[in-house]
Amino acid sequence: MKNHVLRPLWIVLAAIAVFMVVRHFIVPADFGVEEGGNFTYNYHRLSANDDWKNFKVKYRGREYCQECHEENVESILQSPHAIIQCENCHGPAIDHPDNPEALAIDTSRGQCLRCHTYLPYPTSQRSEIPGFEDPEDHNPDENCVDCHNPHNPDLENM
Amino acid sequence: MSCSRRDLLKNTFKTTLAATLPLSAFKMLSPAEVKAYTGDSSIRWVFLVDTRKCVGCGLCVKACKNENEIPWDPPISRTWVERYVLMRNGRAHIDSPMAGRDGFTDSKIRENEIPPDQISKGFFVPKLCNQCEKPTCVQVCPVGATYQTQDGIVLVDRTWCIGCGYCIMACPYGMRFFHPVYKVAEKCTFCYHRIKKGMKTACVQNCPFGARRIGNMKNPNDPVTKLIMNERVAVLKDEYGTKPQVYYIGLDTNVR
Amino acid sequence: MSVEQVVAQGAEHIAVHGMDWTTKELFTYPNEFIYWSIQIVMYPYMTGLVAGAFVLSSLYHVFGQKDLKTIARFSLVFSLALLPVAMMPLLLHLQQPLRNMNVMLTPHFTSAIAAFGIVFSTYAAIVLTEIWFVYRVFFVDQVNALKGKEGTRDRFMYYLYLVLTLGAFDTGDAAVAKDKKAVTIMAGIGIPVACFLHGYAGFIFGSVKANALWMSPLIPVIFIMSAIVSGIALCMLTYIIIMEWKKWSAIIAKGKGDETVQLIAGAELDVITKTSRYLLGFMVAAITLELLDLIFRGYTAMKSWDILRSVMYGKDFVNIFVLQYGLGNLVPFLMLLIPGTTIRRVFFATILVLFGVFMMRWNVVIGGQAFSLSFAGYMHYHLPIIPHNLETYKEGLFGALTVIATPFVLFWIINKVTPSLEYKFNNE
């Protein structure tokens, strides 16, 4: 019965030992500080980088559309809308034309008004885009694309 | 007596110096140390926002939400556009409805009519993660679920985050939020999956006006690096000491 | 996620954490919500109670404050009952509660929360050890008393006590003296650990440099002081309730004029008067520090002061100055100070003190998120009352009530094994 005083300590040590064993099996093997990094900012599961690298790309860019929709690309490049990417109006290509087979054609006025509502901000380029203070004044009952060609909106070509 | 003591001191100093010098020299030359110092990548992603070019169309926010699978309807977003309308009387009207997702299509701010003749300046400021050099959000993560990559991007490990929200609290820029589907901390990654493939981020690619640009600070010939070096740029909230890496052209004192 | 799902996401309503209880005013960043809600108010409140209860018991065990003898044993066991409850609010708050062990598995020590697992376990080990030493002789006695008895309950208790003795059956004077010394040592180590446990709960807030209200080196110290205040107050309150209950059962059993009734009443008042002196002392310290913090902010008037002032003196005025400082500090302070202490007055005073400390936690945690990081707008917190999904239960009124109720249930259970109120100790 000597030194019963240390008994709680043995229990604690045993608990720690069990925990360390469990920890060994649960924590991903590649968890640690990245080479050349420090504990404060670079302590993590190293393969998490790859998780993010493998994330799906959805916006493919105009160059991609050009492979199949050459006309549209060419036409838009000649127009005042040359700066606008196709996917801004048609949504992300993702795996188009496999999935989705066709991209959306959004003919709503909101599509155009995000740029073409005039805002009276003297120091902003926004006020230099042709637009309407109140879009309700400009053919409110029709879609813009009924009269304007979004791929070539030049007023000359109307 | 006193003289010899000084000699002794001098000699001790010299020998100590002699002993430590080669040691430190060796340390400096150790390849592991060199690697540790420079990091094993030759990239440091930085961002340049030209607020003078932004028109508040919100196409960057739209692209970001779609690209990064951030649910469309909730007002949360990895990136957003703020509108600042400063009046002649010094008042500032600021808003960012739905993070600017649908663009700014109304001159009213929070239902208030803003008389155009009293506006002294009005402009838009896109915001995104500053990918700080010293990110507090990473410092405070209790489990090592968020971290900085060698090329300077702060990422979240969705399989390890416990969702305590400490990083959300720690970010002075209010960048972070909980992803409503994955229930873990979520933040802008500079589209890590895109920039690693040599593409531009979704917001950069889809900005029609060139207000957003991304570059590599470690490449002196990178046009963005050149601009940051040669133009007068500023960062947001540098008083927090996080060393933010999103640089702005045309910032105003009213921008928060 | 497939494309269809991404598209579908737009249609269905998706709950964003924080949106259920946050309303916004003027300009706030889009992602800003009150992310740290009622459970994060409960968290420092409960750890505060744990730490305070333990410190109270240690005042007797370490510093030999004889006047605290009766309440010391009680508060030690009570602090054990409170222990798991300190952790509960965090679990209820986590978005991924099943991953809670990650804090222990891969602690990232540059985070104040990372230490939680380790400090908390250390502290739990200390409290358990101390209780073991205090009750070891009792365990052995019970084993001897229950030996050979039939009946399921007795058998169960027999084996339970057998395990609890850890095989240490020596109740000789030398062994008992060792126990006593060990108790002192454990209590001695326990005080700094208890203060650390709670001080660092304060550090979790004080170190958030992004938050203008929290960022202050005083916050950890303020938290420790108010923790001790709340811990002592809770022990006193529970003690009063239990003693009153005993008194009444004695009255029912033996009649009002009985000697035991007088004895209980006398002892009760004596303990309470003495303990309330400590309570007052710590209250003075806590309030002084809080006021210092407030004055300092106003005087230095940094960039954030404009919005802080509008929150403190405007939107949260009632919460801070009426409920916290007035009703929670000043009133009970005067009640305890007026000579001629009565049990009833102390009873109400301790309730007010507990309320005051709760309001202080509320005003720090919720108040710290009442303004936007942009300093250009406000957020308002609406405590979810009727839960309509898991989240509004967990982080709503009922979640908080669950947390409050648990320590009493636990105490009731633990007290069956280690009676802290009636048993006469031969080693003390």
Side-chain angles (χ1 to χ4, degrees), chain A residues 3-73:
Chain A
N3 240 353
H4 71 273
V5 172
L6 289 183
R7 265 171 218 203
L9 185 64
W10 302 138
I11 292 188
V12 168
L13 291 180
I16 294 176
V18 169
F19 173 76
M20 292 315 273
V21 172
V22 172
R23 179 184 188 278
H24 178 78
F25 286 106
I26 298 184
V27 175
D30 61 342
F31 211 104
V33 176
E34 216 163 311
E35 201 183 324
N38 62 42
F39 182 68
T40 310
Y41 300 124
N42 308 98
Y43 177 64
H44 65 106
R45 179 172 62 88
L46 300 184
S47 48
N49 270 0
D50 300 329
D51 291 0
W52 282 110
K53 275 184 210 160
N54 298 334
F55 199 79
K56 180 114 187 97
V57 169
K58 300 179 191 68
Y59 280 82
R60 310 287 290 268
R62 187 146 59 198
E63 294 69 29
Y64 176 69
C65 317
Q66 196 161 17
E67 290 173 21
C68 306
H69 301 287
E70 181 127 28
E71 276 166 53
N72 298 86
V73 176

Side-chain angles (χ1 to χ4, degrees), chain B residues 1 15 81 90 96-97 164 248:
Chain B
M1 188 59 196
T15 17
V81 181
S96 180
C164 66
Y248 283 85

Side-chain angles (χ1 to χ4, degrees), chain C residues 48-61 68-83 123 127 130-131 134-135 228 230-239 242 271 275 411 414-415 418-421:
Chain C
L49 293 178
V50 179
F54 186 82
V55 169
L56 181 63
S57 82
S58 302
L59 285 176
Y60 166 70
H61 289 299
L68 295 177
K69 182 174 174 177
T70 332
I71 205 166
R73 200 177 313 119
F74 160 71
S75 52
L76 180 64
V77 175
F78 200 53
S79 80
L80 178 66
L82 282 165
L83 246 180
Y123 179 68
V127 174
E130 190 180 331
I131 291 183
V134 171
Y135 282 92
I228 300 176
S230 62
I232 296 179
L234 183 67
C235 285
M236 286 169 71
L237 180 65
T238 321
Y239 186 77
I242 291 169
V271 168
T275 319
F411 180 74
I414 296 175
N415 208 40
T418 58
S420 58
L421 292 161

Side-chain angles (χ1 to χ4, degrees), chain C residues 318-337:
Chain C
V318 174
N319 278 354
I320 294 179
F321 290 100
V322 180
L323 296 181
Q324 180 191 330
Y325 286 119
L327 203 60
N329 287 345
L330 191 66
V331 174
F333 191 79
L334 294 178
M335 280 167 83
L336 292 173
L337 216 55

Side-chain angles (χ1 to χ4, degrees), chain C residues 115-138:
Chain C
F116 180 79
I118 287 161
V119 179
F120 184 79
S121 324
T122 313
Y123 179 68
I126 289 173
V127 174
L128 284 169
T129 310
E130 190 180 331
I131 291 183
W132 185 73
F133 282 119
V134 171
Y135 282 92
R136 191 181 66 85
V137 176
F138 172 76

Side-chain angles (χ1 to χ4, degrees), chain A residues 138-139 144 146-149 152-158:
Chain A
H138 189 73
N139 310 308
C144 319
D146 292 347
C147 306
H148 300 286
N149 179 353
N152 189 0
D154 209 327
L155 293 181
E156 314 274 301
N157 298 336
M158 275 182 75

